[in-house]
Amino acid sequence: MAGYAPVVEVCSTMSAYDRWRLGVERCVVVPTMGALHRGHASLMEAARRARPEWPIVVTVFVNPTQFSEAADFERYPKTLDADAALCRDAGAACVLAPSAAEVYPRGPLAGVPPLPAVATRPGLEDRFRPGHFAGVCQVVRRLFEMTRPHAAIFGEKDWQQLQVIRAMVRELDLGVEIVASPTVREADGLAMSSRNRFLTAEDRTHGLALSRALREASQERTVARAEERMAVVLSGLDVEYAVIRDAESLEAWREGRPGRALIAARVGSVRLIDNAAWHPRDA
Ligand code: AMP
């Protein structure tokens, strides 16, 4: 898309953003934590497809309130110059990279919205990253308040997050259209992630088990067999969960409903998550 947006406005303060936003009637936002890769670029392409006439705003903010481990927050990669170049090449009009003081002027503990039920389904993210979705809901609501978008794009890579945000927007009536965009993978199947850079060569090979487990699960006709098959493929890893659930509510899957296979596992120093559609009738 070279030439689509030869310049991108980079705003590190709300006053700069508000000046830019004055000239814009509607925009679509792509919230990120930076260290951008092709997965993020694909969200910008999805934004352009969904709303070709609306400028794209990419937010870059490593949100402290959604990290359950301090070390993970501290080492989270920060690459703003490269991020701005990627946003420009992907056709974004504006990058908002605010400070924590601008995002949380009343402190990080103020303004946590009520959590939708899908955020706390047993056995999923809440069990292994308690407090994570409270931080996600808080920052997304705040970023919507700051950027004032009419639509926002989220990746299917973080499937439970996508369901939580859809539910929050519905329950709080935020009036932002949520558009989902499919997971972008490396050629060998590993889902792209900003944290993949912390995988050693050996970890990376082990990490391929996640996408393989999802592929194999899709060949099974029952939840029990699909979960068993994933457990076998993932047996060498430190698995947090590998389950089939209802794709939307993330409760137990029931016949006739769309299903989703969801995995989280620790590989070396990295926590990997991945997911895929699960349709027993396709098997
Ligand atoms: P992050 O910067 O990792 O917090 O992610 C920001 C957005 O990019 C979220 O909506 C993610 O779901 C999405 N995302 C991250 N990795 C991928 C990927 N490999 N493919 C598609 N979307 C992704």
Side-chain angles (χ1 to χ4, degrees):
M1 277 320 286
Y4 178 87
V7 289
V8 62
E9 181 90 16
V10 180
C11 303
S12 55
T13 62
M14 278 312 287
S15 57
Y17 179 77
D18 288 341
R19 264 196 310 279
W20 177 84
R21 185 69 178 78
L22 265 182
V24 168
E25 197 190 326
R26 290 170 177 236
C27 67
V28 48
V29 72
V30 179
T32 80
M33 297 205 299
L36 302 182
H37 49 66
R38 279 198 291 115
H40 298 108
S42 77
L43 302 186
M44 298 174 218
E45 283 148 28
R48 196 164 50 241
R49 270 197 309 277
R51 293 292 176 204
E53 69 284 14
W54 297 354
I56 300 168
V57 175
V58 179
T59 62
V60 174
F61 179 62
V62 185
N63 173 37
T65 71
Q66 72 187 69
F67 283 78
S68 348
E69 292 165 34
D72 187 29
F73 173 66
E74 312 263 294
R75 78 164 179 175
Y76 203 86
K78 287 155 198 87
T79 59
L80 187 58
D81 290 345
D83 292 348
L86 183 144
C87 292
R88 181 198 61 215
D89 293 347
C94 180
V95 175
L96 173 62
S99 66
E102 290 226 63
V103 178
Y104 300 122
R106 293 179 295 134
L109 294 178
V112 180
L115 264 190
V118 68
T120 52
R121 296 297 183 219
L124 297 177
E125 290 295 291
D126 186 55
R127 166 150 177 227
F128 299 96
R129 300 184 81 188
H132 170 65
F133 283 131
V136 168
C137 286
Q138 179 189 32
V139 79
V140 169
R141 195 171 77 159
R142 181 70 186 119
L143 291 170
F144 284 180
E145 214 169 76
M146 292 164 69
T147 55
R148 306 184 294 283
H150 287 72
I153 318 291
F154 289 88
E156 292 183 352
K157 158 81 173 23
D158 298 274
W159 185 264
Q160 189 174 6
Q161 169 176 282
L162 174 64
Q163 307 314 316
V164 169
I165 287 164
R166 281 192 193 289
M168 177 182 75
V169 166
R170 206 171 42 238
E171 288 167 18
L172 299 179
D173 200 13
L174 297 181
V176 177
E177 178 194 350
I178 303 299
V179 177
S181 191
T183 302
V184 174
R185 299 175 179 282
E186 303 284 0
D188 57 13
L190 183 72
M192 288 195 164
S193 162
S194 305
R195 292 183 178 90
N196 286 354
R197 68 190 68 199
F198 300 124
L199 294 169
T200 64
E202 198 188 347
D203 294 339
R204 220 183 154 299
T205 313
H206 292 150
L208 293 180
L210 276 79
S211 51
R212 202 169 68 240
L214 293 171
R215 278 195 304 278
E216 295 204 11
S218 74
Q219 290 157 21
E220 298 292 350
R221 287 176 173 275
T222 68
V223 168
R225 292 189 55 152
E227 291 183 346
E228 248 170 60
R229 184 93 173 250
M230 289 195 285
V232 170
V233 176
L234 296 166
S235 60
L237 304 186
D238 178 5
V239 180
E240 293 185 346
Y241 56 81
V243 294
I244 307 292
R245 294 286 176 93
D246 182 284
E248 198 180 319
S249 71
L250 301 184
E251 292 180 294
W253 179 79
R254 289 191 328 271
E255 190 69 46
R257 288 281 308 159
R260 203 80 191 175
L262 301 135
I263 300 177
R266 288 186 180 271
V267 178
S269 68
V270 183
R271 180 175 189 271
L272 297 178
I273 58 171
D274 203 349
N275 69 87
W278 189 76
H279 303 292
R281 277 160 306 175
D282 295 350

